[in-house]
Amino acid sequence: MLPVLSGLRVLDLTTVIYGPLIGQVLGDLGAEVIKVEGPEGDLARAIQPRGPQGDSAMFVCNNRNKRSIVLDLKTEAGREVFDRLIGWSEVFLHNMRPQAIDRLGYGFAKVAAINPDIIYCAALGFGSGGRYAGRPAFDDVIQAAGGIAALPSYRGADPAYVPGVMADKVAALTATYGLLAAIASRARGRTGPIEVEAAMFESVAAFVLNEHLAAAAFGGPPESAGYHRMFAADRRPYRTRDGWIAALPYTEQQWRRLLEFTGRRDVLDAPWFGDPGERSAHIAELYTVLAEEMTRFTTAEWLRALQSLDIPHAPVNRLEDLLRDPHLQDVNFFEPNGTGLARAARQPVLYPGYEEQPDRPAPPLGADTTDVATMLGYDEAAMGALRAAGAFGRTG
């Protein structure tokens, strides 16, 4: 944990990955994050594989540096405690659909009425101003809607999902920078409630179109979108004599060094090679040459050669290779740092001027219910009454 946001109070009403990752980043940066769960707990707690304490790897990797309180918001007593938590908070974070959060009674207007200085962040599937507003949104759906799944089809393959929770994580990081900007705005004197809306669909569409808007940015038809270099058939990991490798010569000097090394004078002497625009137009041909040449040597031989030629390259790491990667070991990337895990992927952004503090492990369901209620001013008698009224479900 890095105490960059030390003292910031965050109320986290989120589940699965999209919302919880936002809260975890804030917690990693020192914010005081209280995660509110219903009596059934965050759905992500039950997803396999699960650790010795019963919570899943997905849960513990997205909820460190938080405290957990269980509240049954279907009860009047649970809502009473939740309202008091809203008053305590500076940031209110949720990833529920608009109709669900309104049905619960905690849309922006209601929360701002309870706390007129709140920063209210709604992490949505689709933006509230469009015709898709309120639709259910999960990662596969947004990968499809946002253009990720179709990208392989531009190279002749069937549409495919990235085999990772790409849309949730892209959207979470987008929402996080939006929320941090609101926090900065507050620090610079903005008063009154601040509403932040971040949507998965729009976040992923912006992510995909950054380079792929291409000629459409200059008024071309929608069909002119697409960064041609990305669609070349041989822009891919290359097969070597005994494995796979990534290599990306980019500048003329890098291509020249590689082609000289491989003896490809035919390409070096081509009339288009020395002109940047023409070379770009022939990029698919260059990638095909690269694919042909890579089969001549082993992966280890290519790694040495590309290093000496100062050409960007990397081995094609599998998941298990990442866990053994020497650079990640050098930078203590998997240092558990108080999480209670054998490995934890740490916050990748560092602040050398801050003294790192131990992380708080992801909390068991409702582990901090009593402590948080006490912090809010409830004494033992009041706690007993709240328990009797069902405020804390079965965990209080």
Side-chain angles (χ1 to χ4, degrees):
M1 182 190 299
L2 294 157
V4 181
L5 297 176
S6 183
L8 181 72
R9 301 186 300 276
V10 179
L11 179 53
D12 179 346
L13 187 66
T14 67
T15 59
V16 192
I17 290 181
Y18 177 22
L21 180 56
I22 304 167
Q24 177 169 283
V25 173
L26 298 178
D28 284 350
L29 297 179
E32 176 69 19
V33 182
I34 294 180
K35 181 179 179 72
V36 175
E37 300 179 72
E40 68 285 354
D42 186 334
L43 174 65
R45 287 184 182 271
I47 295 173
Q48 296 290 349
R50 297 166 74 174
Q53 304 304 315
D55 286 326
S56 72
M58 179 181 288
F59 182 84
V60 301
C61 289
N62 288 282
N63 288 282
R64 66 175 173 247
N65 293 319
K66 300 180 184 181
R67 294 195 283 170
S68 170
I69 177 173
V70 167
L71 290 176
D72 187 346
L73 298 183
K74 297 177 181 178
T75 68
E76 183 177 346
R79 290 194 299 273
E80 176 198 321
V81 179
F82 191 63
D83 288 357
R84 193 174 293 195
L85 261 176
I86 292 172
W88 167 89
S89 303
E90 296 171 84
V91 172
F92 180 98
L93 170 64
H94 80 86
N95 65 333
M96 300 174 69
R97 286 196 271 171
Q99 60 268 41
I101 194 73
D102 287 340
R103 190 163 56 244
L104 193 62
Y106 290 102
F108 173 67
K110 170 67 181 293
V111 172
I114 297 170
N115 183 345
D117 293 317
I118 199 72
I119 297 172
Y120 183 100
C121 182
L124 306 177
F126 299 90
S128 63
R131 65 189 64 195
Y132 306 153
R135 288 186 181 180
F138 290 98
D139 196 87
D140 289 359
V141 172
I142 300 299
Q143 284 200 40
I148 291 177
L151 291 177
S153 68
Y154 289 87
R155 297 173 58 179
D158 290 337
Y161 300 130
V162 175
V165 189
M166 180 67 69
D168 274 41
K169 291 181 288 187
V170 167
L173 296 178
T174 303
T176 300
Y177 80 65
L179 188 48
L180 289 172
I183 293 166
S185 175
R186 171 73 78 228
R188 295 173 69 86
R190 172 69 179 262
T191 59
I194 300 174
E195 187 172 12
V196 179
E197 178 179 299
M200 292 176 70
F201 179 46
E202 287 91 321
S203 296
V204 170
F207 180 79
V208 169
L209 290 173
N210 178 276
E211 72 277 16
H212 285 304
L213 199 58
F218 302 113
E223 291 75 17
S224 67
Y227 182 20
H228 70 283
R229 184 173 75 84
M230 299 296 169
F231 300 147
D234 284 313
R235 181 195 170 266
R236 55 185 172 85
Y238 298 110
R239 185 182 289 279
T240 66
R241 184 177 292 174
D242 64 349
W244 298 89
I245 195 170
L248 185 62
Y250 196 79
T251 66
E252 178 181 348
Q253 293 76 20
Q254 289 169 352
W255 276 112
R256 189 173 295 279
R257 290 196 296 270
L258 182 67
L259 293 167
E260 288 172 349
F261 174 79
T262 55
R264 293 299 299 259
R265 293 299 320 177
D266 58 319
V267 181
L268 284 166
D269 294 339
W272 50 263
F273 180 79
D275 180 88
E278 288 298 308
R279 195 168 57 252
S280 175
H282 287 78
I283 194 65
E285 182 178 338
L286 284 169
Y287 287 149
T288 298
V289 169
L290 194 56
E292 293 168 353
E293 296 300 323
M294 284 291 162
T295 61
R296 293 172 53 190
F297 303 109
T298 67
T299 299
E301 289 168 338
W302 269 120
L303 289 173
R304 289 193 294 270
L306 293 167
Q307 179 70 24
S308 68
L309 294 169
D310 196 26
I311 291 172
H313 66 280
V316 179
N317 284 329
R318 293 176 61 83
L319 299 176
E320 59 268 29
D321 297 323
L322 287 176
L323 299 182
R324 302 185 185 104
D325 186 88
H327 175 87
L328 294 179
Q329 300 295 332
D330 291 342
V331 299
N332 296 319
F333 187 76
F334 295 111
E335 175 59 48
N337 191 27
T339 59
L341 303 174
R343 295 184 184 92
R346 67 161 168 79
Q347 165 61 240
V349 179
L350 298 178
Y351 298 81
Y354 287 83
E355 183 178 351
E356 189 172 0
Q357 301 172 356
D359 285 319
R360 180 184 292 121
L365 178 62
D368 304 290
T369 297
T370 299
D371 287 346
V372 171
T374 301
M375 177 197 73
L376 293 173
Y378 293 103
D379 59 22
E380 188 54 43
M383 285 287 292
L386 290 169
R387 289 190 191 97
F392 309 119
R394 298 182 301 276
T395 65

